[in-house]
Amino acid sequence: MGGAPAASAGGRCERPPLLPRVAASQGGGMLGKGVVGGGGGTKAPKPSFVSYVRPEEIHTNEKEVTEKEVTLHLLPGEQLLCEASTVLKCVQEDSCQRGIYGRLVCTDFKIAFLGDDESALDNDETQFKNKVIGENDITLHCVDQIYGVFDEKKKTLFGQLKKYPEKLIIHCKDLRVFHFCLRYTKEEEVKRIVSGIIHHTQAPKLLKRLFLFSYATAAQNHTATDPKNHAVMFDTLQDWCWELERTKGNMKYKAVSVNEGYKVCERLPAYFVVPTPLPEEDVPRFQGHGIPIWCWSCHSGRALLKMSALPREQDDGISQIQKNFLDAIYKTIHRPPYEIVKTEDLSSNFLSLQEIQTAYSKFKQLFLIDNSTEFWDTDIKWFSLLESSSWLDIIRRCLKKAIEIIECLEAQNMNVLLLEENASDLCCLVSSLVQVMMDPHCRTRFGFQSLVQKEWIVGGHCFLDRCNHLRQSDKEEVPVFLLFLDCVWQLVHQHPPAFEFTETYLTVLSDSLYIPIFSTFFFNSPHQKDTNMGRESQGAQSKPLNLLTVWDWSVQFEPKAQMLLKNPLYVEKPKLDKGQRKGTHFKHQRQLSLPLTQSKSSPKRGFFREETDHLIKNLLGKRISKLINSSEELQDNFREFYDSWRSKPPNYHGLLLPHIEGPEIKVWAQRYLRWIPEAQILGGGRVATLSKLLEVMEEVQRLQEKIEERHHSQEALQAEAASLLRTSARLSSLFPFALLQRHSSKPVLPTSGWKALGDEEDLAKREDEFVDLGDV
């Protein structure tokens, strides 16, 4: 009975080694009740059985287990910091506890578990593998919370520890949960690896100490594709001129270079667009505050603008100067009846960042599941927990706000000016949603990536602070960009043919927020990026660092895996010949500006002065509760516009609005549930429907080939996408991420939570009603 821990082929252990097994049956909670083993620096648990295996015998025989461990692959510039051997990576499965032996290592880029897990992968060529981050890798920026288990009690770990845990639990920002048993690890290694992980994931960092710079320096000679092949970067004046020409906004707006070299404001980009009548000398007066900056123009000539509020001043003289300045600015953009501007103060009558942060903190806890029992216990009260988080309601409010702004642009024929303190959070969110709904170009992959570059990266969203990459302030960490992606997913889910990209694309984009080899999401502003990458240095010897852009998906995925980022059901815009194109033009440009609904009577004299005062009060930070239009009138306009659009068949290359009624707003299952095996539907879900649709499309294409006797390249791509879906032996509702799961999904009915539904005997009698899909 003595000897090493019993491990099956591939280094797997069906349960922690208990030799001899003379104990009573183990419960289905935390790993290994009453296991006598070395390490962890913890007191011996209360004995429930007798073990005749000495700890030194276990450590001696562990060498046989670790011989098959895989090699640690390091990126350029990556350095190993600490490691521990004989760590058991656990898979929680109620009373059945399984795991894999291996090494747990921590580098300056990631935490990685190295075990002989080749048998689990089954050499499935269709797996959706990331070339940078492996299945058992966690980038340091992706770590959310670290917990330790002491005598079966779970506690949050931070700072210097006096006692080290017997088990380490890591919650990730991509909602993965890792369990590492340290009972059989040497005490010195436990102290080293636990302290190292806590320090390198939680201690405040300096920007220059991020792995981003180590990688950029080490990979300086590596060739990278031109980022302009993947998106418009909006880092040159020509990029802005191109966007103005594309949206037909160049008649009323102009691209300016007044901030070139960031000599006016470090918060603004080097180049941006302002109304043509605006004098450029007005821009530097308050460091860019109070200046209307162009976001986008629609087909009718109406435009979406944004503006950052002026700082609050106590001095009456300065306040009067600010008021006069804003009055002059407003007169340049509000010239009735030709140019009418509606102001939308997002800081006072919309969401707050605190609301978003609180809601997501509650929401994410629904998916950080430790074991099957916890999953089924919380499943009973799932809807009440989901509603109490308010996350879906926040998504609905964002979509509704975007529709309200679209109604002003389309139906009321007004320009809209978005106001916010720094115009870098909610302005980015709302303006991006408006463009996705109104501009079909933004629903292509190139267009969407260009949109993110324009409104978020160059627009000055503080990714470094909002993602808390430096671990300096939890209060600043707010998932505004993730909220945007969730809103876009609602549109993709409701109108799949309108988007060139898939939900998988949005999922891996959200994951890329925490991969510090891309510069895209690791700076607060273009100025901060250019300064720290050496692009502003005038020294002859200083060579600017060239970082990768996240838009080059070949860095993370092989070509076959990239096929899953492209939507095979996307309906491309038909190319019209010259005759057809002429027939679609309006008779005159003014016709484009006619309101789509019955026009309202002209406002009374003095209204525009009130509008100006309203704008000034908002920009000066004086919040007022009274709106220009009554809420009842706004609701009536919104409902009329929304119902009118829904009564018509959707135009996938025109205006696209989401359904925002109660059950229409859904949970983004692929992102939030992909790591929970119990939530998968093997052989079902939307992916099964997509697979059938692709089969039909493939058959139609084959018939078309016989008729036309030719083969289009696009058809070959669709056929390859169909084969990717069909050849997967583990196709599930959470494809392609569910391929990594090798776990039974048979429902377990916990007696603690289901008593209200019937006694245990009745539930036992109905057990045969559940189909064990794990063997399918």
Side-chain angles (χ1 to χ4, degrees), residues 195-257:
S195 299
I197 289 175
I198 292 174
H199 174 74
H200 292 291
T201 58
Q202 296 184 355
K205 301 177 180 64
L206 298 174
L207 179 59
K208 281 287 191 178
R209 298 302 299 271
L210 294 181
F211 178 73
L212 184 73
F213 297 95
S214 301
Y215 180 83
T217 303
Q220 188 72 353
N221 296 326
H222 291 203
T223 58
T225 60
D226 186 352
K228 293 188 181 295
N229 294 335
H230 311 289
V232 180
M233 305 306 289
F234 293 98
D235 55 358
T236 65
L237 196 64
Q238 290 74 19
D239 288 346
W240 287 101
C241 292
W242 177 87
E243 180 71 356
L244 277 172
E245 185 178 353
R246 185 188 72 82
T247 60
K248 304 297 187 292
N250 48 358
M251 298 297 293
K252 301 177 181 178
Y253 299 90
K254 62 183 179 182
V256 295
S257 57

Side-chain angles (χ1 to χ4, degrees), residues 149-161:
V149 177
F150 302 86
D151 298 329
E152 300 184 20
K153 293 182 179 180
K154 180 176 163 183
K155 298 180 180 179
T156 305
L157 300 183
F158 54 89
Q160 295 290 332
L161 301 182

Side-chain angles (χ1 to χ4, degrees), residues 144-313:
D144 191 11
Q145 292 289 337
I146 301 175
Y147 300 93
V149 177
F150 302 86
D151 298 329
E152 300 184 20
K153 293 182 179 180
K154 180 176 163 183
K155 298 180 180 179
T156 305
L157 300 183
F158 54 89
Q160 295 290 332
L161 301 182
K162 297 181 179 179
K163 182 180 179 182
Y164 290 86
E166 59 200 47
K167 185 176 182 181
L168 194 66
I169 302 175
I170 300 177
H171 286 185
C172 305
K173 293 183 179 180
D174 62 4
L175 304 181
R176 288 181 294 171
V177 178
F178 287 88
H179 296 254
F180 299 109
C181 179
L182 306 174
R183 286 174 177 261
Y184 314 107
T185 308
K186 293 179 180 178
E187 185 173 351
E188 305 80 35
E189 294 184 0
V190 170
K191 292 180 179 179
R192 193 158 50 242
I193 192 66
V194 173
S195 299
I197 289 175
I198 292 174
H199 174 74
H200 292 291
T201 58
Q202 296 184 355
K205 301 177 180 64
L206 298 174
L207 179 59
K208 281 287 191 178
R209 298 302 299 271
L210 294 181
F211 178 73
L212 184 73
F213 297 95
S214 301
Y215 180 83
T217 303
Q220 188 72 353
N221 296 326
H222 291 203
T223 58
T225 60
D226 186 352
K228 293 188 181 295
N229 294 335
H230 311 289
V232 180
M233 305 306 289
F234 293 98
D235 55 358
T236 65
L237 196 64
Q238 290 74 19
D239 288 346
W240 287 101
C241 292
W242 177 87
E243 180 71 356
L244 277 172
E245 185 178 353
R246 185 188 72 82
T247 60
K248 304 297 187 292
N250 48 358
M251 298 297 293
K252 301 177 181 178
Y253 299 90
K254 62 183 179 182
V256 295
S257 57
V258 64
N259 196 39
E260 196 169 31
Y262 307 102
K263 54 191 176 186
V264 171
C265 177
E266 296 179 355
R267 177 183 52 83
L268 291 175
Y271 312 99
F272 51 91
V273 175
V274 296
T276 301
L278 183 74
E280 291 190 24
E281 55 267 22
D282 284 349
V283 176
R285 284 195 60 184
F286 294 99
Q287 296 186 327
H289 289 275
I291 298 299
I293 296 177
W294 177 86
C295 297
W296 178 77
S297 293
C298 62
H299 62 85
S300 65
R302 302 304 99 193
L304 183 63
L305 308 167
K306 64 180 178 181
M307 182 187 289
S308 57
L310 288 170
R312 301 183 184 187
E313 294 290 345

Side-chain angles (χ1 to χ4, degrees), residues 470 530 545 667 693 697 766:
L470 298 182
D530 290 348
L545 297 175
V667 173
L693 284 173
M697 288 175 59
R766 285 183 283 169

Side-chain angles (χ1 to χ4, degrees), residues 544-725:
L545 297 175
N546 291 317
L547 281 179
L548 298 174
T549 173
V550 74
W551 310 126
D552 184 2
W553 295 106
S554 63
V555 176
Q556 297 191 61
F557 303 104
E558 297 293 347
K560 194 171 184 179
Q562 290 182 58
M563 287 301 306
L564 297 174
L565 308 182
K566 185 173 182 179
N567 180 14
L569 300 181
Y570 172 62
V571 178
E572 293 191 30
K573 188 174 184 179
K575 296 180 180 179
L576 304 177
D577 57 34
K578 293 182 179 179
Q580 289 176 302
R581 215 175 272 122
K582 287 180 181 179
T584 59
H585 282 316
F586 287 90
K587 294 180 180 179
H588 50 79
Q589 289 300 312
R590 284 190 294 271
Q591 190 175 11
L592 289 172
S593 301
L594 294 177
L596 301 181
T597 60
Q598 184 178 2
S599 59
K600 299 176 178 60
S601 59
S602 300
K604 297 179 181 179
R605 189 174 184 180
F607 171 84
F608 298 115
R609 180 65 194 176
E610 294 174 8
E611 175 82 7
T612 305
D613 291 339
H614 171 78
L615 172 66
I616 292 172
K617 289 177 181 178
N618 284 330
L619 290 172
L620 294 177
K622 298 175 182 178
R623 307 306 181 198
I624 57 176
S625 59
K626 185 178 180 180
L627 300 177
I628 300 171
N629 296 321
S630 66
S631 59
E632 292 80 7
E633 183 182 4
L634 184 64
Q635 283 291 340
D636 292 341
N637 292 337
F638 171 81
R639 178 52 59 186
E640 179 184 355
F641 175 76
Y642 184 66
D643 291 343
S644 174
W645 181 86
R646 290 201 61 178
S647 64
K648 303 172 185 176
N651 177 10
Y652 294 131
H653 298 287
L655 178 62
L656 195 72
L657 301 182
H659 305 303
I660 58 174
E661 290 79 7
E664 299 289 351
I665 304 299
K666 301 182 184 299
V667 173
W668 183 1
Q670 189 191 69
R671 184 185 192 274
Y672 299 122
L673 294 170
R674 54 183 161 158
W675 313 121
I676 305 177
E678 292 80 6
Q680 299 176 29
I681 307 172
L682 298 181
R686 287 177 62 91
V687 70
T689 305
L690 177 61
S691 179
K692 292 296 181 183
L693 284 173
L694 290 174
E695 287 181 19
V696 174
M697 288 175 59
E698 194 177 2
E699 180 64 26
V700 171
Q701 289 164 2
R702 281 198 296 265
L703 294 173
Q704 188 176 3
E705 287 172 25
K706 293 180 181 179
I707 297 173
E708 300 179 357
E709 295 182 351
R710 63 183 181 179
H711 184 75
H712 298 290
S713 59
Q714 180 62 30
E715 295 166 2
L717 292 175
Q718 291 175 342
E720 185 175 356
S723 65
L724 278 172
L725 295 177

